[in-house]
Amino acid sequence: MKQTEVLLQPNPNARIEEFVYEKLDRKAPSRMNNPELLGQYMIDAGNEFGPGTAYGNALIKCGETQKRIGTADRELIQTSAINFLTPLRNFIEGDYKTITKERKLLQNKRLDLDAAKTRLKKAKVAEARAAQLNTSQPEENNIMIWAEEVTKSEQEVRITQSEFDRQAEITRLLLEGISSTHAHHLRCLNDFVEAQMTYYAQCYQYMLDLQKQLGSFPSTFLSNNNQSSSTPVQSVSPPSVLASASASLPSVTNSIVTSGISELKSSSGSRKARVLYDYDAANSSELSLLADEVITVYSIPGMDSDWLMGERGNQKGKVPITYLELLN
């Protein structure tokens, strides 16, 4: 339970604050979480650089995505707290404490019963020994004394046995309820897993959309230190539980050699190009692409510098150059 709280809220001061407000039966003040703060700073910086600039626009898009992730994070915490943490805490602070108390009481009753049985055993041994030495009046008195002691011990054993049996029954009934408690906790655990699955699926989709948006920027802005690289970054496959499991996570890369693009745009010829990652056409004038397929590309007069015409059999349409790697 404690480690789940740490997972959902890593900040110990925030956890203490939430605990205090919970004990006071008051709602804790709403604060922006770390992704939301980062997103807001990115948006502010992007606006300062200027939304019309490539860098400023990219910062704004990244900031908006970070804020969406922050919202998903908030939903994960809320759902997990209601469906997983609260039932677990209620059990630990309620039924579990009761069971622990009754089990401890049962152990004490067992010790009392064992002590009573030991005293009875000693009384019987003493009575038998006195009977063997019965040669005078004083010994007869000792026999009577031990006989009374045996009677008292037997009565004590009956009482302690009865109390032990009653406590054992109470403890047994409480422990039998554990099976239904486990079934309830199993449902809660499933809810927690589903909440995490939804959260990570949302985050993946948000970043996938963001990377596609960044992929539409001119290749000059996507390369590190404005240096071209002919080796694309290896794409990452998403987890199988996601709806888009067959898609590959696109990598931002500038694999088009500037001179090759310039030659293609200045000539009327065509070139073969390999698709770096999937692209969904935004309208009928564009061509959808699948990662690793090879298509024919060429330029037409008046076309935007970030686009080429692509052909695949009888299909053709505009394709972004940042999704392509020209082949020799």
Side-chain angles (χ1 to χ4, degrees):
M1 182 187 74
K2 293 296 183 184
Q3 195 57 41
T4 305
E5 292 174 347
V6 172
L7 173 69
L8 297 176
Q9 178 51 269
N11 188 336
N13 293 329
R15 290 200 304 273
I16 293 174
E17 182 185 56
E18 291 172 0
F19 175 79
V20 171
Y21 274 98
E22 182 180 351
K23 291 301 180 183
L24 295 175
D25 198 20
R26 293 174 57 187
K27 185 178 180 181
S30 179
R31 291 188 175 90
M32 297 178 72
N33 54 31
N34 289 333
E36 289 173 331
L37 282 171
L38 174 61
Q40 189 58 54
Y41 286 133
M42 282 184 165
I43 292 173
D44 293 342
N47 287 325
E48 287 186 20
F49 278 105
T53 65
Y55 184 47
N57 192 10
L59 279 172
I60 292 174
K61 291 182 183 299
C62 289
E64 291 171 347
T65 300
Q66 291 295 331
K67 294 187 79 170
R68 294 172 71 187
I69 290 176
T71 301
D73 185 68
R74 197 181 295 276
E75 292 173 356
L76 170 66
I77 294 174
Q78 183 178 9
T79 303
S80 300
I82 294 174
N83 296 337
F84 181 64
L85 268 178
T86 300
L88 193 60
R89 185 183 292 110
N90 290 341
F91 170 73
I92 291 174
E93 296 179 354
D95 292 349
Y96 179 73
K97 281 188 175 180
T98 301
I99 292 172
T100 303
K101 176 184 175 182
E102 296 298 334
R103 286 186 64 178
K104 186 175 181 180
L105 190 57
L106 176 64
Q107 186 177 6
N108 292 335
K109 295 294 183 183
R110 181 185 62 80
L111 294 174
D112 292 342
L113 178 60
D114 290 345
K117 287 180 177 179
T118 300
R119 285 192 291 271
L120 175 61
K121 183 178 178 180
K122 288 181 178 179
K124 285 184 175 180
V125 170
E127 182 187 30
R129 189 174 299 165
Q132 292 175 356
L133 300 175
N134 185 13
T135 59
S136 63
Q137 185 66 31
E139 292 296 338
E140 290 182 4
N141 293 335
N142 286 338
I143 293 174
M144 292 179 61
I145 292 173
W146 284 114
E148 291 178 0
E149 188 67 28
V150 168
T151 302
K152 286 173 59 179
S153 296
E154 287 176 344
Q155 184 178 5
E156 183 183 9
V157 168
R158 284 194 298 271
I159 294 173
T160 53
Q161 182 71 58
S162 174
E163 291 178 350
F164 173 80
D165 292 342
R166 183 171 65 252
Q167 186 60 38
E169 179 66 14
I170 294 173
T171 307
R172 184 183 65 82
L173 292 174
L174 287 172
L175 291 175
E176 283 180 352
I178 289 291
S179 58
S180 61
T181 302
H182 284 175
H184 176 60
H185 287 172
L186 179 59
R187 290 192 297 270
C188 294
L189 184 61
N190 283 330
D191 291 341
F192 178 55
V193 172
E194 286 184 10
Q196 283 189 302
M197 186 180 70
T198 301
Y199 169 72
Y200 289 117
Q202 286 178 324
C203 291
Y204 170 79
Q205 190 59 50
Y206 294 156
M207 300 311 296
L208 187 67
D209 295 342
L210 173 62
Q211 198 127 20
K212 285 185 178 181
Q213 292 179 52
L214 295 180
S216 64
F217 283 87
S219 58
T220 305
F221 298 111
L222 294 179
S223 58
N224 190 26
N225 297 329
N226 290 335
Q227 305 258 335
S228 296
S229 171
S230 59
T231 305
V233 180
Q234 183 179 0
S235 60
V236 180
S237 297
S240 58
V241 297
L242 301 179
S244 54
S246 61
S248 294
L249 183 65
S251 55
V252 180
T253 178
N254 176 27
S255 56
I256 302 177
V257 180
T258 307
S259 58
I261 293 292
S262 301
E263 287 178 11
L264 185 61
K265 286 185 173 295
S266 61
S267 67
S268 58
S270 61
R271 290 275 295 274
K272 293 291 185 180
R274 184 176 69 86
V275 178
L276 296 177
Y277 45 88
D278 295 352
Y279 175 74
D280 294 327
N283 52 55
S284 58
S285 67
E286 297 178 7
L287 179 66
S288 294
L289 303 174
L290 294 175
D292 293 326
E293 70 172 327
V294 177
I295 63 173
T296 302
V297 293
Y298 56 92
S299 181
I300 58 176
M303 176 169 282
D304 189 278
S305 59
D306 297 329
W307 297 80
L308 290 172
M309 287 298 295
E311 272 190 12
R312 183 202 306 112
N314 296 327
Q315 297 177 320
K316 63 180 180 178
K318 295 192 302 180
V319 293
I321 61 176
T322 51
Y323 282 58
L324 305 173
E325 177 185 17
L326 289 183
L327 301 178
N328 293 328

